[in-house]
Amino acid sequence: MYTVYIPEPNFQTKSISIMSYFYTHQYNILPLDLCAALRTYFDESPSSAHLGMRQEGENMHLPSMRLDITDKRAKKITKLPLRTLVHEAVTASGVLKQFFSPNTYRFKRFTVRRYSKADRDGCDWHVDGSDLAVVIFCGGTCVDSESGGDLVMGEGETPDRILKRVDQTEGSMAVFQGCEISHMVTPVTKGTRYTVVLFLNVKHERKCNSK
C-alpha cells in the first residue's frame, strides 16, 4: 500500500509525482467549440459504432459508452477532422515530452466517452493496459461535484482513500500513468459528462533473428 499524501499541484505551470508516478494537468488544450463538436460527434454517431462492453487491455469488468474518433466519420457529422485536431492539440501542448523521449511513443487509441445515468454512469477502480493515459474534459450538463462523474485517483489496488480529485474544467487535460495509478470515475447522478481518452505506449524495438 502507498502512504504518500498528494499536495495540490500548480496546474498552470508544473507536473507533480503522484505516488512516485507521472501526473500533470493543463488548461485550455481544446477550445470550447471543438469540445462542442466532440459532443455532437458522439451524440449523432450510430449506436452500432460504439465499442461495446470491453475495456482496453485486460479491463473487461465494466459496460462502456465509448466511440473511436475517426476523421472520416467526424467530417460527415461535424465537417471537422476531429482526430487530427485532437492529436495536434495534445502534441502542441508539449506534455508528452515530459514523459517520453522524442519518437519513442505511439498512440494506441482515440475515444470519446459519455457518462450519464442512462448510459454508462461511471467506472470502477482500475488500472489501464497502456503506459500513459490522456483525458480531455469536454463538458456536458453534469457541471458540479454533486452530480458525480469525477475522475479520482486512489491509494493501492483497491483504494479506500481518495488521493486526488481531478479538476475537470472544459477543455482541460489530465495526463497520468494509468497503468500504475488506480483511478475511477464516480457515478453520474444527474446530466451528462463527455471526455476524450487517449492511450499511449512506449515503442518497443522489434528484433529479428538473422543468419
Side-chain angles (χ1 to χ4, degrees), residues 78-122:
T78 69
K79 301 187 185 304
L80 295 172
L82 294 180
R83 183 186 179 100
T84 297
L85 293 173
V86 170
H87 181 279
E88 290 175 348
V90 172
T91 304
S93 73
V95 68
L96 300 183
K97 296 179 182 179
Q98 299 178 38
F99 184 77
F100 295 109
S101 299
N103 302 315
T104 63
Y105 64 88
R106 62 181 178 87
F107 285 89
K108 178 181 177 183
R109 172 162 281 172
F110 288 65
T111 60
V112 60
R113 306 179 180 207
R114 183 178 69 197
Y115 295 90
S116 74
K117 289 186 68 175
D119 303 315
R120 179 188 190 179
D121 66 346

Side-chain angles (χ1 to χ4, degrees), residues 57-69:
E58 70 279 3
N59 298 321
M60 300 174 62
H61 57 292
L62 295 169
S64 180
M65 289 295 289
R66 300 179 295 122
L67 186 67
D68 268 331
I69 303 173

